[in-house]
Amino acid sequence: FVSAAESGLVGALDGNAFRPIAGVAWVRGDRDGPGRSALFGWAAAMTDDGDGGVYVSDVGNQTIRFIGP
């Protein structure tokens, strides 16, 4: 998983291509939800949970967010 923090997207690398999985490009916010309905203030560090999910440090909102598999 990777973050395009300045654009508000969290995604995965698929070969050399970035595939968005959560967030909306250039829209900041603090909203939980699946895929493009989620908003991030500034997604920074990430780690996977070993079961297909990922924890995201949203430093713009000072929260830890979870993206489920």
Side-chain angles (χ1 to χ4, degrees):
F1 295 97
V2 295
S3 168
E6 66 281 352
S7 72
L9 292 171
V10 172
L13 289 179
D14 198 359
N16 289 329
F18 177 79
R19 181 177 49 87
I21 59 170
V24 178
W26 309 111
V27 177
R28 300 229 182 265
D30 185 12
R31 184 172 66 205
D32 292 332
R36 294 180 50 87
S37 65
L39 296 177
F40 298 93
W42 189 275
M46 287 166 273
T47 188
D48 68 73
D49 71 349
D51 289 321
V54 63
Y55 288 95
V56 179
S57 172
D58 184 351
V59 297
N61 292 306
Q62 300 178 348
T63 58
I64 302 296
R65 311 280 294 280
F66 179 74
I67 300 170

